[in-house]
Amino acid sequence: MKQILTSSIALLLGVSSLAMAGNEPAQVGPRPLYLVNDMEDGELKNKLQSCSAGPFHRTDFSIGHRGAAMQFPEHTKESYLAAIAMGAGVLECDVTFTKDKQLVCRHSQSDLHTTTDVLAHPDLAKKCTVPFKPANPATGEDAQVECRTSDFTLAEFKTLKGKMDGANPKATTVEEYMQGTPGWRTDLYSQTGTLMTHAESAELFKKYGVKVTPELKSAAVEMPFNGFSQEMYAQKLVDELKQVGFSAKDAYVQSFNLDDVKYWINKTPEFGKQAVYLDDRMYEQEGFVATLDNMKALSDAGVNIIAPPLYALLALDNDKKIVPSEYAKLAKQADLDIIAWTLERSGPLAQGGGWYYQSVSEQIDQDGDMMKVLDVLAQDVGVLGVFSDWPSTVTYYANCMDI
């Protein structure tokens, strides 16, 4: 116990416990076994229970989605360190930019009002694209506010503190608005929330020996932005990885914008080889149906890895068993590798798991079903890795199954 606590504290203080130990252990904590114990009885549950004593080690199959965002403020140093401690072998910085065109880690260019304490800084809050307007209980109108990274210089951005993503839309005061953390998350670890630039996150990941998967986010501002074009934006992301010393084999640059992926394939082919197309066609393109032709069109363009949401990869067969979807089968036929997102982002699964599990919701009614889904993704779909808001769950599974 003392050794575990010492390692945890060392990580949170930024000291390389991995260097001290000379290997890459993972601290999975109680949640994975809680999920396993909540599973329906059967062979899979027995197998996963047999691994409870560990040992557990870091694995590239476990990808930290925004760090460990289920319990830590996303895209903060503390969230990243927690994910590293849990054995995530790949970490994500969602990349956007500031007013002075510096790359920073935020899920969206327009989320500072829900993911940071910017509204608690009056001098900065008044610079927001849409300054805070309280809700109107008489009319039912929600509070309005939008604070973008591009509203602030990097120096101003660095004065902010990350908080758990959430807001109270019925708030009549800034203080009420900022108190919106979902009940199944926690504010216990949001007392620091150190924001990071993309370069700083890459330096941190390099220090701990984990791989990186930065996502180039869509700009909320019109591009080019003060002379900063989309191509310059995509190139700067790669340049900062190179400057820190990341080799292309340890980086999975990603984007929902296929043109970004094609840019990397054509202009930085060493990084383009592992560039990830975040496939949103099934919910952004009305009437989209996966076909072998539209999957092969991606591979013909040089795309090697696609990453759709969990539900796109799963279906129910005639016996209501969770199986690979037609999308997943066609992607494999087109020689595309697959990464799935996002486990541990739906909260308790008693009501079917919500958006991420929509294609198999009939078979999702307890937290332990998360492991059932993970097993289908790993064994039947054959994904390269799984994004999770609490990476220890995937780390536990991957170690137990020797992935």
Side-chain angles (χ1 to χ4, degrees):
M1 176 64 73
K2 182 177 180 181
Q3 183 179 3
I4 292 174
L5 290 174
T6 300
S7 297
S8 300
I9 293 169
L11 275 169
L12 291 174
L13 291 177
V15 178
S16 178
S17 67
L18 301 182
M20 293 189 296
N23 57 21
E24 299 172 351
Q27 303 159 27
V28 298
R31 181 161 177 79
L33 192 56
Y34 159 77
L35 295 175
V36 172
N37 289 335
D38 191 51
M39 294 176 67
E40 297 173 354
D41 291 339
E43 184 178 341
L44 179 59
K45 179 175 182 177
N46 293 338
K47 169 62 176 174
L48 292 173
Q49 284 179 324
S50 74
C51 302
S52 61
F56 301 101
H57 296 88
R58 181 188 298 166
T59 168
D60 290 353
F61 192 74
S62 179
I63 307 173
H65 182 244
R66 315 185 198 181
M70 188 172 77
Q71 302 282 289
F72 288 78
E74 63 187 47
H75 293 310
T76 61
K77 182 178 182 179
E78 293 76 13
S79 187
Y80 292 143
L81 289 174
I84 293 169
M86 293 180 203
V90 185
L91 269 292
E92 177 190 50
C93 164
D94 286 328
V95 179
T96 185
F97 55 86
T98 60
K99 187 175 183 178
D100 45 352
K101 295 174 280 191
Q102 300 302 303
L103 304 188
V104 294
C105 299
R106 286 291 91 197
H107 177 63
S108 164
Q109 191 169 48
S110 302
D111 72 2
L112 293 185
H113 49 287
T114 63
T115 67
T116 76
D117 66 344
V118 64
L119 296 180
H121 299 259
D123 289 345
L124 294 180
K126 65 185 180 183
K127 298 182 179 182
C128 291
T129 295
V130 179
F132 179 75
K133 178 183 177 182
N136 188 332
T139 64
E141 184 181 13
D142 287 347
Q144 298 178 30
V145 61
E146 182 184 0
C147 300
R148 300 175 177 175
T149 56
S150 53
D151 291 332
F152 308 103
T153 64
L154 177 60
E156 292 170 329
F157 174 85
K158 293 287 282 184
T159 66
L160 306 179
K161 184 179 77 172
K163 73 175 189 68
M164 295 301 288
D165 186 16
N168 176 5
K170 301 301 181 183
T172 58
T173 67
V174 163
E175 292 75 18
E176 289 178 350
Y177 184 84
M178 294 175 65
Q179 295 172 0
T181 302
W184 50 273
R185 290 181 176 157
T186 180
D187 287 313
L188 187 62
Y189 304 111
S190 60
Q191 307 311 303
T192 47
T194 306
L195 301 190
M196 304 197 80
T197 66
H198 171 241
E200 288 171 341
S201 75
E203 288 171 359
L204 184 73
F205 303 157
K206 187 69 175 174
K207 172 183 176 181
Y208 284 94
V210 296
K211 297 179 182 179
V212 61
T213 182
E215 179 190 337
L216 197 73
K217 304 301 295 189
S218 298
V221 295
E222 185 176 350
M223 297 292 279
F225 175 73
N226 295 335
F228 190 51
S229 69
Q230 187 70 22
E231 293 76 15
M232 294 166 67
Y233 182 25
Q235 185 63 49
K236 186 168 185 175
L237 181 151
V238 170
D239 289 344
E240 290 191 347
L241 292 180
K242 290 180 177 179
Q243 288 165 9
V244 170
F246 266 102
S247 63
K249 68 181 178 62
D250 292 331
Y252 298 84
V253 295
Q254 51 174 339
S255 178
F256 281 100
N257 183 345
L258 186 57
D259 287 339
D260 293 337
V261 177
K262 289 179 177 179
Y263 174 87
W264 291 319
I265 291 168
N266 295 319
K267 300 297 184 180
T268 61
E270 70 278 18
F271 283 85
K273 185 177 181 180
Q274 290 190 161
V276 181
Y277 172 45
L278 296 163
D279 191 359
D280 60 1
R281 293 175 296 173
M282 66 291 300
Y283 59 90
E284 289 293 342
Q285 296 182 18
E286 186 175 354
F288 172 80
V289 176
T291 66
L292 188 56
D293 284 344
N294 59 36
M295 288 295 182
K296 281 186 173 179
L298 294 176
S299 57
D300 289 345
V303 176
N304 292 316
I305 307 173
I306 59 172
L310 298 178
Y311 76 82
L313 299 171
L314 305 172
L316 296 177
D317 66 11
N318 292 334
D319 297 322
K320 301 300 182 183
K321 179 182 177 182
I322 299 176
V323 295
S325 67
E326 190 66 16
Y327 173 105
K329 295 174 185 176
L330 292 169
K332 286 296 186 180
Q333 288 180 43
D335 294 323
L336 293 168
D337 285 320
I338 304 171
I339 294 172
W341 48 271
T342 302
L343 215 65
E344 306 277 18
R345 193 153 185 87
S346 297
L349 301 188
Q351 287 78 44
W355 189 83
Y356 288 93
Y357 298 84
Q358 58 188 277
S359 62
V360 293
S361 58
E362 291 178 53
Q363 291 298 311
I364 303 296
D365 58 15
Q366 60 194 73
D367 284 347
D369 289 336
M370 209 174 300
M371 286 298 191
K372 181 167 62 176
V373 165
L374 185 52
D375 188 60
V376 174
L377 291 171
Q379 306 300 332
D380 300 329
V381 176
V383 298
L384 290 180
V386 179
F387 278 96
S388 177
D389 277 17
W390 201 244
S392 65
T393 297
V394 182
T395 300
Y396 184 105
Y397 175 89
N399 274 262
C400 191
M401 296 299 183
D402 197 26
I403 297 178

